[in-house]
Every structure is written in C-alpha cells, then in structure tokens.
Amino acid sequence: QVQLVESGGGLVQPGGSLRLSCRASAMLFSIYTMGWYRQAPGKQRELVARITTDSRTNYADSVKGRFTISRENAKNTVYLIMDGLKIEDTAVYYCNTFVSGVNYWGQGTQVTVSS
C-alpha cells in the first residue's frame, strides 16, 4: 500500500512563504500522478495543484501564480511551494494519489496564515 506523509506546515504572516513536502512509501512513485488538496473549516476539500508523471501541472485558479507544485522522483517526494500567502489559504493541506482504484491521503499538515 501507499503511505503519504506531509510536512512543512506552520504559521506564516500574510505575504509569507512555505514549502510543503509529501514523501510517499510507494516503490513506483514515478508513475503516480500526485496532488495537493486543502480543506478549511466549514468548506469542502478542494484541489490545489496536481502534477502528472511527465510533470504536467494544474492549479486551482485561486493559487495560480503563487503556488508551484514539483516532484523529485528519486526521493519519492512531491513539493508545494507557496508564495504570497493569503489569509484565505489557511487550511489543512493533504497529499493525494490514486493507485489501482484506491484514493490515498496523507494525514495532513496545517497551514495558518495570520498576522
């Protein structure tokens, strides 16, 4: 099975930056499409960014130009670089992948943007 572990969350002032990391236990990480989702209190979980096996990316409109997703297959790791953070970015951020008909999620890492 696939285990996903996120790290890098924390408390940041508006306009600040964070780098989130997600390390996967999967032996064939390079063939997986990976995604970052987030869920704020009282809101639906939403897709933030996605990266395919050939490094094609997609972003939610709300984060375009501010967030960058990337992957380092040799380390079984996907990153989310967040710049220009806004208060509305506050949420628990989850790493995700879909493998063999199963949706896998990390435990989440809290990102709080506040002055």
Side-chain angles (χ1 to χ4, degrees):
Q1 283 192 302
V2 178
Q3 281 79 51
L4 305 172
V5 180
E6 304 97 334
S7 62
L11 175 63
V12 184
Q13 293 184 342
S17 299
L18 282 175
R19 185 182 76 165
L20 306 185
S21 299
C22 172
R23 187 175 184 275
S25 64
M27 298 294 100
L28 300 175
F29 178 80
S30 64
I31 72 172
Y32 303 151
T33 292
M34 304 294 297
W36 284 99
Y37 290 72
R38 68 186 181 187
Q39 187 166 24
K43 296 184 178 180
Q44 301 267 27
R45 186 172 297 187
E46 63 176 351
L47 175 67
V48 176
R50 182 170 62 94
I51 185 165
T52 66
T53 56
D54 58 353
S55 294
R56 300 188 70 178
T57 58
N58 296 101
Y59 298 92
D61 288 341
S62 60
V63 307
K64 286 181 179 177
R66 299 188 297 119
F67 291 10
T68 303
I69 188 171
S70 64
R71 65 194 300 158
E72 190 169 2
N73 290 337
K75 294 184 177 180
N76 283 12
T77 301
V78 61
Y79 304 97
L80 185 68
I81 310 300
M82 304 184 293
D83 295 317
L85 284 162
K86 304 175 179 179
I87 292 174
E88 52 263 43
D89 294 320
T90 296
V92 178
Y93 284 70
Y94 297 92
C95 186
N96 167 265
T97 192
F98 187 77
V99 181
S100 299
V102 179
N103 213 10
Y104 293 93
W105 299 92
Q107 63 185 352
T109 185
Q110 177 71 47
V111 173
T112 302
V113 185
S114 176
S115 59

